[in-house]
């Protein structure tokens, strides 16, 4: 039976890209019985009744999956945050980074709208970019009015499945439209009353860009750390992950334990104070989480 990758899921149909083109498939009833939900990005085996229609027969194992947005086997996430309108928010960025790191997906930071900021604002953004690069992240500064800055993204897509994510209104769809002008992607203006954009993307679909597949997603409808435990959190901060084994106590939470390598690095300035403060906020959030039964 033929194999392929689900590139779109809509209204109970799964669109599978394969050697013959794209086949519209329905899921087998056994998937529901076994509580298996096929996701965009899944490698599947399907049975084709003809060149256009068929049924999913088997879903291959996944290396990761996201439930909101629903997508599987993601290689990397381009996190788009605007320099302004809405203002750059390192706390929210760190929340996204932790969620992406927890799924073992490579994050890439893209700061948009750099063409409409002042010289002073540009200096602040450059400082943030430098600090996140020091942590180990790739950071790109972009403007949809400057094609060269957008083209910097193209090499990242090569043979990868990439998720675009970030706060609503930061220009994710506009960046995709600049990369692929033939795409018809609905974009809305920022709501000046709320200071945020309207959700314009309604379903997950993989599109071809730069010899890779890119998902324009509806965004993360949940940014809660529902699957993270206290002992997992510091592994989602690369600067802590690199040195946590140097802590005296195994399972150190980097709060008040003696001979903590993270606290030492904080005192020495090699860990940014705001990143550590965000870590503490997330840690408390996980501790306060209601138990699941």
């Amino acid at each position: 039976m033929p194999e392929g990758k689900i590139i779109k899921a809509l209204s109970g149909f799964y669109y599978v890209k394969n050697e013959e083109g794209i086949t519209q498939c329905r899921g087998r009833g056994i998937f529901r019985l076994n509580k298996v939900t096929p996701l965009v990005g899944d490698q599947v085996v399907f049975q084709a009744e003809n060149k256009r229609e068929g049924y999913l027969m088997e879903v291959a194992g996944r290396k990761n999956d996201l439930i909101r947005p629903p997508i599987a086997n993601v290689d990397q996430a381009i996190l788009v945050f605007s320099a302004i309108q809405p203002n750059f928010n390192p706390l929210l960025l760190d929340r996204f980074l932790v969620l992406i790191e927890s799924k073992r997906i490579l994050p890439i930071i893209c700061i948009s709208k750099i063409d409409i900021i002042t010289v002073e604002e540009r200096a602040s953004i450059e400082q943030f970019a430098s600090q996140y690069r020091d942590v180990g992240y790739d950071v790109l500064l972009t403007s949809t009015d400057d094609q060269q800055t957008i083209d910097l993204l193209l090499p990242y897509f090569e043979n990868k499945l990439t998720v675009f994510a970030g706060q609503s209104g930061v220009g994710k769809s506009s960046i995709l439209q600049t990369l692929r002008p033939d795409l018809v992607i609905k974009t809305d203006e920022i709501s000046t009353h709320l200071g945020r954009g309207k959700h314009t993307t309604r379903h997950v679909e993989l599109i071809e860009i730069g010899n890779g597949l890119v998902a324009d997603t509806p965004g993360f409808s949940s940014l809660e750390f529902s699957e993270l435990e206290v002992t997992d959190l510091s592994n989602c901060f690369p600067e802590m992950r690199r040195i946590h084994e140097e802590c005296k106590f195994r399972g150190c939470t980097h709060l008040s334990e003696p001979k903590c390598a993270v606290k030492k690095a904080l005192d020495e300035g090699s860990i940014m104070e705001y990143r550590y403060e965000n870590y503490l906020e997330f840690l408390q959030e996980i501790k306060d989480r209601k138990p699941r039964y």
Side-chain angles (χ1 to χ4, degrees):
M1 284 186 285
E3 299 180 9
K5 183 190 292 288
I6 298 175
I7 62 167
K8 182 169 71 170
L10 188 64
S11 303
F13 289 99
Y14 302 96
Y15 298 83
V16 180
K17 183 177 181 180
N18 55 88
E19 292 181 352
E20 299 294 323
I22 296 175
T23 304
Q24 177 182 282
C25 296
R26 287 191 178 274
R28 296 174 64 207
I30 195 170
F31 289 151
R32 287 192 294 274
L33 291 174
N34 294 336
K35 297 183 178 179
V36 173
T37 302
L39 297 175
V40 169
D42 273 331
Q43 288 292 136
V44 296
V45 176
F46 66 98
Q47 186 175 51
E49 296 183 342
N50 52 58
K51 288 186 177 181
R52 293 188 177 182
E53 298 177 315
Y55 286 89
L56 299 185
M57 304 301 291
E58 183 180 338
V59 177
R62 299 166 178 158
K63 67 178 181 180
N64 56 48
D65 60 64
L66 301 171
I67 303 305
R68 294 184 296 271
I71 188 169
N73 301 314
V74 178
D75 294 308
Q76 59 189 11
I78 294 179
L79 302 180
V80 184
F81 275 69
S82 55
I84 197 171
Q85 297 177 10
N87 291 336
F88 183 75
N89 186 337
L91 174 62
L92 186 59
L93 173 57
D94 284 348
R95 182 176 288 271
F96 270 91
L97 286 168
V98 166
L99 289 165
I100 292 299
E101 291 271 5
S102 71
K103 292 291 185 177
R104 292 175 172 80
I105 296 171
L106 177 68
I108 298 154
I109 300 169
C110 173
I111 302 178
S112 64
K113 305 184 184 180
I114 60 166
D115 57 312
I116 57 173
I117 55 178
T118 65
V119 173
E120 293 78 11
E121 290 166 338
R122 175 71 182 237
S124 175
I125 291 297
E126 292 276 11
Q127 184 177 25
F128 277 120
S130 176
Q131 290 165 352
Y132 279 98
R133 288 182 185 121
D134 287 344
V135 169
Y137 295 118
D138 282 5
V139 183
L140 305 176
L141 306 184
T142 65
S143 163
T144 51
D145 285 339
D146 185 345
Q147 185 70 42
Q148 285 187 321
T149 66
I150 300 298
D151 287 346
L152 292 173
L153 290 164
L154 286 172
Y156 289 94
F157 300 137
E158 188 79 24
N159 299 320
K160 296 285 196 304
L161 196 165
T162 304
V163 166
F164 260 65
Q167 191 177 6
S168 183
V170 296
K172 299 186 297 293
S173 294
S174 296
I175 290 174
L176 286 172
Q177 191 84 62
T178 305
L179 287 163
R180 278 277 307 270
D182 57 309
L183 293 174
V184 179
I185 301 174
K186 183 181 177 184
T187 58
D188 279 347
E189 294 296 323
I190 295 292
S191 166
T192 54
H193 176 64
L194 297 174
R196 61 177 187 241
K198 301 173 184 177
H199 287 286
T200 56
T201 314
R202 302 302 178 192
H203 65 276
V204 179
E205 181 173 356
L206 298 181
I207 54 180
E208 293 185 5
I209 296 180
N211 295 322
L213 293 172
V214 178
D216 183 24
T217 76
F220 286 69
S221 56
S222 174
L223 293 173
E224 298 176 355
F225 303 122
S226 57
E227 300 177 12
L228 266 177
E229 301 300 331
V230 166
T231 52
D232 299 328
L233 182 60
S234 65
N235 283 324
C236 300
F237 285 76
E239 65 270 50
M240 298 184 189
R241 184 169 63 229
R242 286 192 286 266
I243 62 174
H244 72 88
E245 290 186 358
E246 299 173 19
C247 294
K248 180 178 181 180
F249 294 101
R250 190 175 183 180
C252 181
T253 59
H254 321 305
L255 288 174
S256 55
E257 297 93 337
K259 296 187 179 180
C260 169
V262 169
K263 291 296 290 289
K264 180 183 178 184
L266 179 67
D267 292 338
E268 292 173 348
S270 56
I271 289 180
M272 295 306 301
E273 187 172 348
Y274 68 87
R275 286 269 293 172
Y276 179 73
E277 288 175 355
N278 292 345
Y279 165 81
L280 295 181
E281 181 170 328
F282 302 157
L283 188 69
Q284 191 61 48
E285 184 177 325
I286 294 171
K287 287 181 176 180
D288 292 344
R289 186 178 62 208
K290 293 180 180 179
R292 291 172 293 170
Y293 299 103

